[in-house]
Amino acid sequence: MKKAFYSKVAGSLLLSAGLLASGAAAADETITLNAGGVGVFGITHAAGEEFTDTFLFSLTPDWAGWAAGSAAVGITNLNGVLTPNVDITNIVFFSEVGGERTELETTFNDGAITFYPTAMLEAGSYGFTVTGVVASNVQAGSYAGNLSVTPVPEPATYAMLGVGIGLLAFTARRKTNNKLG
C-alpha cells in the first residue's frame, strides 16, 4: 500500500516538475540596456521545436527614441553541409501598459534578421516576440542578437546647442582683423 502511494506521489511530483519546466521555458526574458543603450538576448531550443519567445525592456525618459535589433542563428553541420539550425519567421514589437500588450507596427527583414518599430518609442515598457522553428529534428538550435536604442535629444538640448553655436559665431565675428579686409 505504501509503495503504491509513494509511486503516485513521485509520479505527481515528476508531472508537476515537467509542467513547471515547460512554463519556465515560455517565460518572458528581460533585456537590460547598458549605458550605451544596447542589450543582448538569445535562447537555445530543443530539436524540432516551434517557439515564440518574448523579450521585455523598459525605456526611461532619457532613453526614449528609436529602437532596432538584429539577430544571428546558430549553424549546424548536417551530413557535411552547414545549415542554419533555427528559422526565425517573424519578430514583432509591442508596448505594455497595465499588463496589456499592444502590437506595434514593426519592420522585419528575415534575410538579414533585422527588425525595428516604425515609430519612435516613448518612455515606458516594451518588448518583442520572436517566432520560429528549430530546423533540425535531431539537434538543438539557437539564436542570439542585440537590441539598441538611440535616444532623441530633448528640445532644450537643441536650444542649448543653438545658443552655443550663436556665441561661437559672435566671438568669431568680433575677432576679425579689419586690417586684412
Side-chain angles (χ1 to χ4, degrees), residues 152-163:
V152 175
E154 296 180 13
T157 304
Y158 287 120
M160 282 195 322
L161 178 65
V163 168

Side-chain angles (χ1 to χ4, degrees), residues 3-77:
K3 188 176 181 182
F5 174 74
Y6 287 127
S7 67
K8 288 182 181 178
V9 169
S12 59
L13 286 174
L14 285 173
L15 179 62
S16 298
L19 289 173
L20 287 174
S22 67
D28 297 343
E29 299 276 332
T30 300
I31 298 174
T32 302
L33 300 175
N34 66 17
V38 177
V40 296
F41 62 91
I43 288 188
T44 299
H45 288 286
E49 183 177 39
E50 289 186 23
F51 58 85
T52 299
D53 301 325
T54 303
F55 299 93
L56 305 174
F57 64 97
S58 295
L59 297 179
T60 62
D62 295 342
W63 279 100
W66 297 99
S70 63
V73 299
I75 301 294
T76 300
N77 186 338

